[in-house]
Amino acid sequence: ALVSDGVADSKAIYAMGHSSGGLFCYRLAKETSLFAAVCPMSCGMAKDAHDPDKNTTPVHLMQVIGDRDKSYHGTTNPKVTMHSAEKRIAVWRSFYECDTKPVTKVHGKELTLRTYTNGDGIEVAICEAKGQGHHLRRDLRDAADIIALNFMLGHRKKQVDPDVLNADP
């Protein structure tokens, strides 16, 4: 409704969520074509349920997570396996065929941003907060939020040619 009413730009729609909301961002990245960028924060990623597949539309993705977050190292239980932070970024980086060497930027002493880019300019990034758990210390949360917002606002959804989408393989 916002796009059709001219209030929102269809090429500049973003999703950001913390904890379960971050997990939902991975699902949105996998299953929808609505977003230009998503930023899951302080969350895991369910193996197989949220891994991108042939139906996944390119979307810029940045994970924000503390290195002491409960989901940082991943989990395994009889119902669901959650990828570690490294593995989930590797899954998306591999899917988009991004460079294996990231561009690394350090923000202060406790935030490190690693960004992987593919030939089409799609970015997969991880912002790690040193010594932080599920809830980042307020000053670091504010800084990470700014990094995440700048990441998302720095990307617009590419226009996809309908003829390419409808072409026979």
Side-chain angles (χ1 to χ4, degrees), residues 16-129:
M16 176 186 245
H18 181 269
S19 197
S20 293
L23 188 69
F24 189 57
C25 284
Y26 278 115
R27 182 172 177 190
L28 293 172
K30 176 185 178 176
E31 296 179 10
T32 72
S33 60
L34 181 64
F35 300 96
V38 298
C39 188
M41 303 179 87
S42 298
C43 67
M45 184 181 105
K47 180 181 178 186
D48 298 326
H50 299 128
D51 294 38
D53 60 28
K54 64 180 175 60
N55 297 315
T56 301
T57 302
V59 62
H60 302 278
L61 183 143
M62 183 175 87
Q63 164 88 67
V64 174
I65 192 160
D67 65 3
R68 292 187 182 165
D69 186 285
K70 62 187 176 189
S71 66
Y72 184 79
H73 295 289
T75 60
T76 303
N77 69 47
K79 292 183 180 180
V80 66
T81 296
M82 301 293 258
H83 290 305
S84 69
E86 282 297 319
K87 178 64 177 177
R88 66 187 84 120
I89 294 305
V91 165
W92 285 88
R93 182 181 51 76
S94 176
F95 178 74
Y96 289 132
E97 299 177 347
C98 293
D99 295 335
T100 56
K101 295 251 183 189
V103 172
T104 301
K105 292 183 182 176
V106 177
H107 299 266
K109 294 179 180 178
E110 297 163 296
L111 293 175
T112 301
L113 176 64
R114 289 181 287 132
T115 305
Y116 303 86
T117 307
N118 76 5
D120 293 328
I122 297 296
E123 292 183 342
V124 174
I126 183 167
C127 181
E128 293 177 310

Side-chain angles (χ1 to χ4, degrees), residues 37-38 60-62 123 125 146-155:
V38 298
H60 302 278
L61 183 143
M62 183 175 87
E123 292 183 342
I146 290 168
I147 293 167
L149 286 170
N150 285 334
F151 176 85
M152 290 188 295
L153 293 173
H155 295 95

